[in-house]
Amino acid sequence: MLTHTSATTPAIAAGREPLVQVRRAVKTYGPTKALSGVTLDVHAGEVFGVVGHNGAGKSTLMRVLSGLDAIDSGSVQIGGVSTPSERGFPGVRMAYQEGSLALELTVYENIYLSSKSWIPDRRWHGAASRRAMARLDEIFPDHVVGPADYVDDLTLADRQMVEISRATIADDLRLLILDEPTESLSGSAVDHLYDYVRKLRASGHAIILVSHRLREVLSVCDRVAVMKDGAVVSTHAAGSVTEQDLFLAMGGEVAIQKTGNGARPTATDSSRPVCVKVPMTTVDGAATQIVAHKGEVIGLAGIAGQGQEQVLDRLWRRNGDVQASAALAYVPGDRQRSGILPLWDVARNLTIAALPSLSKNGIRQTEKENALVAEWVERLKIRGGASAAITGLSGGNQQKVIVARAFASDADTILLDDPFRGVDVHTKAELYQLIKSEAQKGRTIIWYSSENSEMQHCDRAFVLRAGRVAGELHGRDISDERIISLSFAEAREAHA
Amino acid sequence: MSTAILDHVGFNLPKGYARRALPGFLTLIAMVLILLVCGTIQPRIWSQNGLTLIMSPIVALAIASMAQMVMMSIGDIDLGIGFFVGMITTIVATLLRETPMLGVLALAGSVLAYALLGALVQLRSVPSLIATLGASFVWLGLGLFVLPVPGGAAPDWLFKYAFWKPPLSIPAPVVTMVVATALTWFVTRRTGLGVKFRSLGSNPVALMRSGGSLVVTRMLAYGTVGILGVLSGITLTAEIGGGDVNAVPGYTLTTVAAVILGGGMFTGGRAVAWGTLAGAVTLGLLTVLLTLLNLSSNLQPAVQGFIVIAVLAGRLVVERMTR
């Protein structure tokens, strides 16, 4: 069933030079290896799908192909060019998931900004408006966007349409990269987009489609590459594989009978008091809730950006519908932006959340603080000690300080927002141990992680998809394979 | 005026247009109201001379506000514009009068200095607040160096401008302000350069992905601010007849208030030339009104500040309703 094709499929005209040739591309960001030797070919006149779970290296590969990032070793050649210019590889355009439109500009101004080379300098207002509208009409016939609309005032779906149109407005277009293009589009718009993609293919363009909607990928692509751990593990002819095959290749597990089992009562822990209750809906639309008892480690898993952070956010803000214990502490994932206080030393960074409980009548008690700092520096073996400058520490040690900050407070529920991204293995092991021992002491931990293997340290894990609960896993059931399977729940239902 | 389109409101107004034009439009209404109240108290302002008299102190403020507006459209704030305009008056009242060649070079150098300031902000990621605040002391020092005590005299051609009476009994200050505003509006809203300025303020990533250079764009924006600052200084020299580096340190914050009244944002991305003009004139006329009301001049800044806060609060309510 699986066709591991190292060469091209017969359907693609043999003998023609591939438009995109990637050979053993390696890219590292600090300690993490985002690409560990990717090799792939994409031909003109084909739609090439790329699938994979979190951290498989899809985004990095697309950044490399669009010329935003340079690789460390290996080679990338697109249309005979192997070193991108400042504007990327010639003829390569990418529709981003987000962030490439200026919200305070109008639609036609955004088009002008991005496609200057193909719009005359004189009287560009009309020209840019016409090109924007022509392309929007061509791809999405029933859109409601006007050329002078401000992007900020458009709906997410409309913005995505503008973004896709923006990417396609280039006279020298040869390769179009679509990164999760249908995430915020409605049904008919999705169909229109893929009709247009087929039209582009017919006119000899190459299209790379990155998506975790496997059904869409299989229906529109000619070939599909499965990525895992920074490499392409297999390439399939789309006509000869099923969604299950792709699961298997991604490392998922097919044999799961139950879907939407989020409402399954927990027998083991129900004796302990409930600390946290978040009402949710399952993917089938039934009401359920995420419940955490005292001393439990609860995981929030699934593809990144499927509503896990919103659950933490609802808890942290104590939205009306959630039930949360008295004291919460929050460990952010992005330590540079929302974690460390860069001008302070380790000790001050560590104690800031605990200060209220350490001070007496509003006056700080230095000895108590120092004792607490000494305890945590010792316990987590923070290099450099209490008086080191926080910015002088390695990323892993900075993260230890931020985690210690939350646990040093008197909060009884700790919210972890994917805190161990980019942290080395050794530090991770220490922090997992800490989480376990703190849970045993009676603390409740709600832990979102984009790394599926981390979820094994949870008592229970909820897999989220599109903001809904796709399933709940218990203890030993929590595995990479089952999380991946549940992450793609929608696709799986189609075959059930 | 761009806000006049609001008068025939249709359902085919571009999405988000009303939300952006409304603050400036409300400020325009406030401006007209204040003008009417002033005219009721003192009917003699309804003449070419009368309007020239109350408007001419506002010209330099309006142009300096345009400078601040350009600065805020790229997401920065200029805390040195007051002393910069002051320094320009000292150059105009001495160098430009005595040795025009040297004067022109000095003014060009000032604009260049602004562009370099922009490069510093971008390349060293210095916050614009710090960079322009630091620069303000440089402007002060240079101004004192050129002209230690207020003095000098405006060049003759500037004096001629000060006494210029346009036909159709249009007040000269109004002509100057409208021309300066129209130019700023054209550059920021109708040219590709303006699109780059605003995208730098709204989403630098978008500008970068489109292949634009952040450094060059920021330098050009700061250069534009410098040019408008020089124009403001020249008109101020015509108004006060000489040079004084300490003439208008209050411009720094008043211009920010004018931009906000006109619909600008601290977060950048919005260029509202006409709204800013309405804001600057409103703030200028407020002084006239308070004087006509015989309010103690010591109280005027407080009342001015109170009105600005009230307008901003009102605008917040209106914005929430139109969203």
Side-chain angles (χ1 to χ4, degrees):
Chain A
M1 193 98 178
L2 285 179
T3 44
H4 290 256
T5 48
S6 54
T8 55
T9 45
I12 310 300
R16 257 196 302 150
E17 183 86 333
L19 179 67
V20 181
Q21 286 176 290
V22 183
R23 297 283 173 272
R24 294 179 301 282
V26 174
K27 173 80 191 171
T28 51
Y29 295 107
T32 46
K33 207 166 201 178
L35 296 181
S36 58
V38 170
T39 296
L40 64 81
D41 285 333
V42 180
H43 296 262
E46 79 167 327
V47 183
F48 190 83
V50 176
V51 297
H53 208 255
N54 296 333
K58 293 170 300 188
S59 317
T60 311
L61 180 62
M62 294 314 127
R63 289 179 65 83
V64 167
L65 289 180
S66 60
L68 288 174
D69 272 357
I71 47 172
D72 300 332
S73 69
S75 71
V76 175
Q77 204 178 46
I78 301 180
V81 180
S82 50
T83 41
S85 71
E86 213 171 74
R87 302 199 58 171
F89 287 101
V92 177
R93 302 273 281 188
M94 175 157 166
Y96 299 86
Q97 229 176 318
E98 55 185 14
S100 76
L101 296 174
L103 299 183
E104 283 295 331
L105 299 191
T106 62
V107 170
Y108 80 81
E109 284 170 342
N110 268 294
I111 299 293
Y112 170 73
L113 191 66
S114 155
S115 305
K116 259 194 297 299
S117 324
W118 301 283
I119 290 170
D121 284 335
R122 287 168 52 84
R123 302 172 177 272
W124 59 270
H125 296 264
S129 300
R130 279 191 298 277
R131 286 208 75 155
M133 282 307 107
R135 188 49 54 86
L136 273 167
D137 294 341
E138 185 182 357
I139 309 180
F140 305 105
D142 43 13
H143 75 91
V144 291
V145 181
D149 289 351
Y150 286 88
V151 175
D152 195 27
D153 293 70
L154 295 178
T155 63
L156 277 181
D158 289 346
R159 278 186 213 178
Q160 189 63 30
M161 292 183 196
V162 174
E163 167 65 14
I164 292 168
S165 307
R166 178 201 66 75
T168 58
I169 298 179
D171 291 347
D172 66 346
L173 183 71
R174 300 173 76 181
L175 170 65
L176 175 67
I177 303 174
L178 298 170
D179 186 5
E180 300 287 1
T182 56
E183 199 63 358
S184 48
L185 292 183
S186 69
S188 67
V190 171
D191 294 339
H192 290 145
L193 170 66
Y194 288 137
D195 286 345
Y196 183 72
V197 165
R198 291 189 187 98
K199 217 163 101 188
L200 277 182
R201 170 177 59 188
S203 58
H205 295 86
I207 298 102
I208 295 182
L209 171 65
V210 180
S211 177
H212 59 257
R213 298 190 172 183
L214 299 185
R215 206 184 321 161
E216 290 177 10
V217 170
L218 284 179
S219 72
V220 72
C221 293
D222 300 307
R223 290 190 301 148
V224 183
V226 177
M227 288 191 75
K228 197 182 169 188
D229 302 329
V232 174
V233 288
S234 56
T235 310
H236 312 268
S240 63
V241 282
T242 63
E243 288 161 42
Q244 262 86 353
D245 298 332
L246 292 181
F247 277 136
L248 272 180
M250 281 190 278
E253 185 185 84
V254 190
I256 286 187
Q257 296 85 18
K258 287 197 174 180
T259 61
N261 53 353
R264 195 161 71 184
T266 55
T268 45
D269 296 296
S270 51
S271 56
R272 287 189 264 177
V274 172
C275 275
V276 167
K277 220 184 249 179
V278 187
M280 301 285 291
T281 36
T282 66
V283 280
D284 307 326
T288 181
Q289 50 190 5
I290 294 178
V291 179
H293 299 92
K294 193 171 158 62
E296 261 192 316
V297 183
I298 299 295
L300 300 173
I303 296 162
Q306 297 287 325
Q308 296 95 337
E309 278 161 321
Q310 281 83 328
V311 172
L312 294 182
D313 195 57
R314 277 163 75 190
L315 276 168
W316 181 242
R317 291 167 189 272
R318 295 175 188 282
N319 275 17
D321 54 345
V322 306
Q323 179 190 328
S325 54
L328 296 171
Y330 184 88
V331 179
D334 189 342
R335 55 179 168 270
Q336 295 307 336
R337 257 181 42 202
S338 50
I340 59 167
L341 302 155
L343 296 180
W344 291 6
D345 63 10
V346 168
R348 298 286 83 78
N349 263 289
L350 208 158
T351 51
I352 182 158
L355 279 182
S357 59
L358 284 176
S359 54
K360 199 171 156 188
N361 303 328
I363 309 291
R364 289 169 56 190
Q365 293 184 297
T366 337
E367 320 86 69
K368 269 198 187 177
E369 281 182 30
N370 290 343
L372 186 82
V373 170
E375 181 197 331
W376 281 97
V377 167
E378 163 67 23
R379 199 165 154 194
L380 287 178
K381 299 181 192 64
I382 296 168
R383 296 232 175 89
S387 56
I390 187 92
T391 45
L393 265 52
S394 70
N397 276 296
Q398 287 185 7
Q399 200 59 36
K400 281 187 193 173
V401 175
I402 291 172
V403 172
R405 176 196 294 168
F407 283 103
S409 72
D410 51 5
D412 43 17
T413 301
I414 314 278
L415 309 176
L416 304 176
D417 182 1
D418 203 6
F420 306 134
R421 233 178 317 174
V423 174
D424 61 287
V425 187
H426 196 69
T427 308
K428 276 184 184 171
E430 286 174 11
L431 292 172
Y432 298 155
Q433 202 50 49
L434 172 77
I435 288 174
K436 269 195 184 138
S437 66
E438 288 294 320
Q440 268 158 19
K441 286 185 197 162
R443 278 181 154 160
T444 311
I445 288 146
I446 313 287
W447 181 6
Y448 158 50
S449 170
S450 57
E451 212 167 298
N452 298 331
S453 54
E454 280 186 344
M455 290 287 106
Q456 291 161 8
H457 302 277
C458 298
D459 298 319
R460 284 182 295 135
F462 292 87
V463 181
L464 269 64
R465 191 195 144 77
R468 295 170 164 207
V469 176
E472 180 184 343
L473 299 168
H474 290 250
R476 267 169 304 172
D477 289 349
I478 306 173
S479 66
D480 226 9
E481 293 76 23
R482 303 200 57 168
I483 291 174
I484 291 178
S485 306
L486 285 173
S487 301
F488 294 92
E490 181 201 62
R492 206 158 38 81
E493 276 159 21
H495 279 255
Chain B
M1 283 195 187
S2 64
T3 47
I5 299 168
L6 270 177
D7 288 340
H8 28 107
V9 173
F11 289 103
N12 41 10
L13 211 60
K15 294 184 196 77
Y17 183 84
R19 197 157 68 82
R20 282 166 181 79
L22 210 56
F25 190 67
L26 293 180
T27 308
L28 183 72
I29 293 174
M31 180 188 103
V32 172
L33 284 180
I34 293 178
L35 201 60
L36 289 177
V37 174
C38 288
T40 320
I41 300 172
Q42 181 50 273
R44 265 180 296 175
I45 69 167
W46 297 118
S47 66
Q48 188 177 19
N49 282 338
L51 276 176
T52 305
L53 203 64
I54 60 166
M55 287 293 191
S56 60
I58 306 175
V59 175
L61 173 66
I63 301 177
S65 299
M66 290 303 138
Q68 189 70 267
M69 191 276 290
V70 171
M71 199 65 140
M72 287 171 71
S73 77
I74 62 164
D76 289 358
I77 290 178
D78 191 340
L79 288 187
I81 194 73
F83 282 127
F84 183 75
V85 171
M87 180 193 77
I88 296 298
T89 65
T90 65
I91 294 175
V92 173
T94 55
L95 285 179
L96 195 64
R97 180 187 173 82
E98 290 142 21
T99 45
M101 195 61 169
L102 214 57
V104 169
L105 277 179
L107 293 180
S110 312
V111 174
L112 187 69
Y114 245 96
L116 291 177
L117 198 61
L120 176 80
V121 168
Q122 183 65 47
L123 291 174
R124 306 298 308 155
S125 43
V126 186
S128 64
L129 287 174
I130 308 294
T132 54
L133 185 64
S136 78
F137 298 115
V138 176
W139 311 140
L140 176 62
L142 287 175
L144 288 173
F145 175 76
V146 176
L147 202 61
V149 286
D156 297 333
W157 53 270
L158 252 188
F159 271 119
K160 273 192 200 127
Y161 157 76
F163 292 109
W164 174 48
K165 279 196 179 169
L168 302 172
S169 63
I170 303 167
V174 173
V175 175
T176 318
M177 283 192 286
V178 167
V179 168
T181 309
L183 281 175
T184 316
W185 172 81
F186 185 77
V187 169
T188 53
R189 294 297 286 273
R190 299 298 293 175
T191 65
L193 187 65
V195 172
K196 282 187 171 183
F197 285 178
R198 286 178 289 136
S199 71
L200 180 64
S202 175
N203 183 0
V205 177
L207 180 58
M208 217 154 51
R209 282 179 183 167
S210 75
S213 158
L214 299 191
V215 182
V216 173
T217 308
R218 199 173 291 271
M219 284 179 74
L220 287 172
Y222 273 66
T224 311
V225 174
I227 291 173
L228 287 165
V230 166
L231 289 178
S232 170
I234 292 175
T235 51
L236 186 65
T237 316
E239 169 65 21
I240 62 179
D244 178 9
V245 69
N246 274 310
V248 286
Y251 271 17
T252 301
L253 294 177
T254 315
T255 52
V256 174
V259 178
I260 295 292
L261 283 178
M265 291 197 311
F266 286 114
T267 44
R270 285 195 195 168
V272 281
W274 294 107
T276 301
L277 175 66
V281 174
T282 305
L283 289 172
L285 285 180
L286 219 50
T287 317
V288 177
L289 176 66
L290 295 177
T291 312
L292 286 176
L293 288 173
N294 281 328
L295 204 76
S296 154
S297 61
N298 294 328
L299 268 179
Q300 281 189 12
V303 173
Q304 237 178 14
F306 180 78
I307 291 176
V308 169
I309 292 173
V311 169
L312 287 186
R315 175 179 150 191
L316 218 64
V317 173
V318 171
E319 272 218 22
R320 215 164 277 168
M321 280 177 349
T322 53
R323 178 117 201 179

